[in-house]
């Protein structure tokens, strides 16, 4: 959950940067919630762009990670890359005590695991991270149908769907449904469309061993 929350809040921050804004801070809390405080140019589009980026971004990132879970290079680079991104966010943006205590440990753990673990176990870990992001993108959206605001970090905040409703005058349930549909779609794409490691090198015995070590969520369409 903490990993998925970090992706969610980072997507808000990246959306703000993409329209010329900036990230003031990004906090992760013990209950799995988070907040990204951003400064953005005035305008409804800018507000909507940032507000909608959290759930959409988590779904897209999770789906893409699933697609590359069966490539040794993709899993290793992805695991190390996520760890480095977490460490950089802690240096520049994370400011609360819990976040500064837990997130550097998580980031360092992912970097070491991606660098040192054997290919099979790196793939397993990367698949777990991908599945966590996808499932969280689906399950957390359900809350938007029943909750319009919540206490996060001791402050009452409106949900992303409620914020979109105030900007566009389109009901929050419509936004929640659209984001859930995207989350389901990206998860299915990641499960059924995967990029495979090319098997044009190595002995026959090595290839047979690799084929015998299937990863989780193994339903896929081979693309070589």
């Amino acid at each position: 959950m903490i990993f998925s929350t970090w992706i969610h809040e980072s997507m808000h921050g990246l959306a703000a940067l993409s329209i010329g804004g900036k990230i003031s801070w990004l906090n992760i809390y013990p209950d799995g919630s988070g907040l990204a405080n951003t400064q953005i140019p005035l305008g409804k589009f800018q507000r909507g762009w940032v507000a909608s980026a959290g759930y959409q971004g988590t779904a897209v990132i999770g789906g893409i990670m699933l697609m590359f879970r069966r490539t040794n290079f993709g899993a290793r680079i992805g695991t190390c890359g996520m760890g480095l991104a977490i460490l950089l966010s802690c240096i520049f943006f994370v400011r609360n005590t819990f976040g500064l205590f837990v997130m550097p440990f998580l980031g360092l753990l992912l970097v070491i695991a991606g660098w040192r673990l054997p290919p099979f176990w790196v793939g397993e870990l990367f698949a777990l991270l991908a599945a966590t992001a996808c499932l969280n993108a689906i399950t957390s959206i359900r809350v938007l149908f029943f909750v319009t605001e919540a206490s996060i970090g001791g402050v009452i905040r409106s949900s992303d769907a409620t914020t979109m409703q105030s900007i566009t005058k389109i009901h929050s349930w419509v936004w929640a449904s659209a984001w859930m549909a995207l989350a389901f779609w990206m998860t299915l794409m990641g499960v059924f469309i995967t990029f495979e490691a090319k098997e044009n090198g190595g002995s026959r015995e090595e290839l047979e061993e690799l084929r015998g070590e299937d990863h989780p969520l193994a339903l896929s369409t081979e693309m070589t």
Side-chain angles (χ1 to χ4, degrees), residues 17-185:
L17 294 176
S18 72
I19 55 173
K22 65 179 183 178
I23 306 171
S24 300
W25 45 260
L26 190 159
N27 292 344
I28 307 296
Y29 300 103
D31 61 356
S33 62
L35 277 177
N37 186 280
T38 61
Q39 298 181 29
I40 59 175
L42 295 176
K44 289 186 176 181
F45 171 80
Q46 289 83 346
R47 286 183 60 206
W49 177 256
V50 174
S52 64
Y55 288 106
Q56 293 184 92
T58 304
V60 171
I61 292 295
I64 292 174
M65 289 175 67
L66 277 179
M67 292 179 188
F68 286 91
R69 71 187 183 276
R70 296 182 64 133
T71 63
N72 294 331
F73 182 77
R76 192 172 297 279
I77 294 299
T79 302
C80 289
M82 283 294 178
L84 288 173
I86 290 174
L87 291 174
L88 287 174
S89 70
C90 291
I91 294 172
F92 293 106
F93 305 120
V94 178
R95 293 294 176 265
N96 68 316
T97 302
F98 177 81
L100 287 174
F101 178 76
V102 173
M103 298 309 294
F105 176 76
L106 176 60
L108 187 61
L109 183 65
L110 291 179
V111 170
I112 295 174
W115 176 35
R116 300 296 297 174
L117 283 179
F120 173 79
W121 291 110
V122 172
E124 296 291 289
L125 175 59
F126 191 68
L128 176 62
L129 294 174
T132 298
C134 287
L135 291 176
N136 184 262
I138 294 171
T139 58
S140 62
I141 291 175
R142 294 185 305 169
V143 178
L144 300 180
F145 290 99
F146 310 105
V147 178
T148 59
E149 58 185 21
S151 177
I152 304 177
V155 179
I156 300 298
R157 303 279 183 172
S158 297
S159 70
D160 292 343
T162 302
T163 300
M164 290 300 297
Q165 177 177 317
S166 69
I167 296 171
T168 64
K169 309 307 179 185
I170 299 174
H171 200 280
S172 61
W173 284 20
V174 175
W175 292 106
S177 298
W179 296 339
M180 181 171 283
L182 175 64
F184 273 114
W185 175 254

